[in-house]
């Protein structure tokens, strides 16, 4: 069973294990590929990076010495594809949700929780916040995040059996705002070139194809582009952590003169720079970030979208 935070993780696990087996013995590889079950799964629980303070607190409060404790939120969800030809333990007795199709749950998590984290991360960092709960408690950013999840991401999802999406969305707002977790925005901002294409771009492309709203999603990309300039609004340096850092930063530093330079990277963004509606929404938000600053830009966008839906 794979618990990786990627779609169709069972198929990825099957490919990896069968390839390794085939490297040892071709017949074994074929047998693994054909006969071993690799069920898809979705696991949802926020687990920030362990800090020295977490280690000290565990030692002081509980007398437990652990060099790497895992800190996590109270919420937990595990959805598992019920594909076990030779039987399985009664995991449902422990709260695991067994299903014939994990994909709706995967998409729900990727497009709401994971992409929602991205919606908070860059704007929150640029607005001067350090922790996720600080950004989630910022009224302008919270309104922006709710609008993204409710009016853009949720509209791209299939029905999710047993899940009230509106309750899940509002639950995410509460989870993100939990001060006890102390998850950092820096963690969420790291390795964005791996995250945005998986979490957010499918939402954008689905909404563009369906003729639906995408302005908040475009604003998330614009905030990433502004963040990638590697300086905040006070001129202080930002440590951009990404495998493509040099290329991203070089493009971002050109964008005051060439506003679409960042999204013209088609290996990341496909043809978005050539979509007139998306390009204009992105360019307008990026220009506002430079001129007004992040909080004022988000407030203006919130007001404009609220007026448009009234």
């Amino acid at each position: 069973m794979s618990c990786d935070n990627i779609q169709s993780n069972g198929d990825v696990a099957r490919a990896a294990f069968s390839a390794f087996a085939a490297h040892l013995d071709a017949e074994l590889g074929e047998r693994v590929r054909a006969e071993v079950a690799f069920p898809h799964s979705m696991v949802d629980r926020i687990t920030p990076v362990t800090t020295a303070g977490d280690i000290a607190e565990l030692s002081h409060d509980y007398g437990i010495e652990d060099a790497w404790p895992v800190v996590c939120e109270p919420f937990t969800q595990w959805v598992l594809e019920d594909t076990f030809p030779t039987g399985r333990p009664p995991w449902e007795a422990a709260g695991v949700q067994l299903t014939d199709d994990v994909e709706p749950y995967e998409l729900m998590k990727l497009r709401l929780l994971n992409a929602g984290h991205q919606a908070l991360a860059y704007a929150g960092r640029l607005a001067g916040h350090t922790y996720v709960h600080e950004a989630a408690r910022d009224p302008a950013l919270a309104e922006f995040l709710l609008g993204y999840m409710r009016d853009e991401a949720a509209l791209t999802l299939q029905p999710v059996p047993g899940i009230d999406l509106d309750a899940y969305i509002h639950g995410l707002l509460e989870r993100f705002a939990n001060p006890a977790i102390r998850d950092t925005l820096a963690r969420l901002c790291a390795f964005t070139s791996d995250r945005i294409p998986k979490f957010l771009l499918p939402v954008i492309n689905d909404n563009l194809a369906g003729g639906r709203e995408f302005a908040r999603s475009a604003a998330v990309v614009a905030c990433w582009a502004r963040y990638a300039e590697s300086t905040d609004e006070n001129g202080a340096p930002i440590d951009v952590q990404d495998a493509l850092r040099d290329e991203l930063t070089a493009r971002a530093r050109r964008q005051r003169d060439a506003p679409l330079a960042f999204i013209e990277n088609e290996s990341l963004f496909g043809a978005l720079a050539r979509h007139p509606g998306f390009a204009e929404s992105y360019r307008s938000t990026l220009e506002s970030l430079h001129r007004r600053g992040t909080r004022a830009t988000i407030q203006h966008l919130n007001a404009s979208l609220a007026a448009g839906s009234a």
Side-chain angles (χ1 to χ4, degrees):
M1 289 187 294
S2 169
C3 297
D4 286 334
N5 188 32
I6 56 176
Q7 279 187 264
S8 302
N9 52 17
D11 291 341
V12 175
R14 175 183 287 107
F17 277 94
S18 60
F20 177 72
H23 178 71
L24 301 176
D25 181 273
E27 184 177 348
L28 175 62
E30 185 55 38
R31 182 178 178 184
V32 169
R33 190 177 298 108
E35 298 184 22
V36 176
F38 290 90
H40 302 314
S41 73
M42 186 278 278
V43 179
D44 184 358
R45 197 172 206 185
I46 297 171
T47 54
V49 174
T50 301
T51 68
D54 298 325
I55 297 170
E57 181 179 356
L58 190 64
S59 175
H60 180 271
D61 293 353
Y62 299 96
I64 297 173
E65 301 298 330
D66 188 332
W68 206 278
V70 176
V71 178
C72 56
E73 63 173 337
F75 179 92
T76 183
Q77 183 182 22
W78 186 8
V79 182
L80 183 62
E81 183 183 19
D82 198 359
T83 304
F84 295 90
T86 60
R88 59 170 176 77
W91 282 306
E92 62 270 40
V96 179
Q97 185 173 353
L98 280 299
T99 181
D100 293 333
D101 185 7
V102 173
E103 184 180 31
Y105 303 90
E106 290 177 333
L107 294 178
M108 176 185 74
K109 183 194 176 189
L110 293 171
R111 299 186 181 190
L112 293 175
L113 186 151
N114 295 119
H117 265 159
Q118 302 304 293
L120 272 184
Y122 315 101
R125 175 65 179 80
L126 290 168
H129 298 301
T130 300
Y131 294 100
V132 176
H133 69 269
E134 295 172 341
R137 292 179 174 212
D138 183 317
L141 296 181
E143 181 181 351
F144 174 75
L145 173 61
L146 176 61
Y148 161 75
M149 292 193 293
R150 181 189 60 207
D151 299 332
E152 298 186 21
L155 301 185
T156 72
L157 298 176
Q158 312 164 35
V160 188
I163 300 292
D164 179 333
L165 276 183
D166 188 62
Y168 182 81
I169 287 169
H170 283 86
L172 284 175
L173 292 174
E174 294 178 7
R175 293 166 63 190
F176 291 174
N178 183 352
I181 300 302
R182 296 183 67 79
D183 199 5
T184 65
L185 293 170
R187 181 183 78 87
L188 304 185
C189 290
F191 310 111
T192 308
S193 62
D194 290 329
R195 297 181 177 194
I196 290 287
K198 290 191 297 186
F199 304 156
L200 184 65
L201 294 192
V203 174
I204 293 171
N205 290 326
D206 279 5
N207 282 330
L208 289 176
R212 295 185 296 266
E213 181 58 69
F214 57 83
R216 296 175 188 86
S217 298
V220 177
V221 178
C223 287
W224 176 26
R226 172 63 187 85
Y227 175 89
E229 292 176 13
S230 72
T231 56
D232 67 15
E233 293 175 1
N234 297 315
I238 293 174
D239 180 17
V240 176
Q241 297 184 27
D242 198 287
L244 303 179
R245 179 180 60 185
D246 292 346
E247 179 183 354
L248 294 173
T249 299
R251 285 180 175 273
R253 289 176 176 173
R254 291 172 42 216
Q255 61 196 3
R256 290 179 187 265
D257 297 320
L260 300 183
F262 193 77
I263 61 170
E264 285 172 345
N265 181 342
E266 295 199 359
S267 65
L268 284 178
F269 297 104
L272 286 182
R274 292 185 273 115
H275 187 286
F278 182 87
E280 175 54 28
S281 181
Y282 166 86
R283 185 206 59 76
S284 175
T285 302
L286 183 62
E287 187 274 334
S288 180
L289 290 169
H290 287 139
R291 178 167 53 88
R292 289 190 175 110
T294 304
R295 182 171 282 104
T297 294
I298 296 299
Q299 290 172 333
H300 177 75
L301 183 61
N302 288 340
S304 298
L305 291 170
S309 62

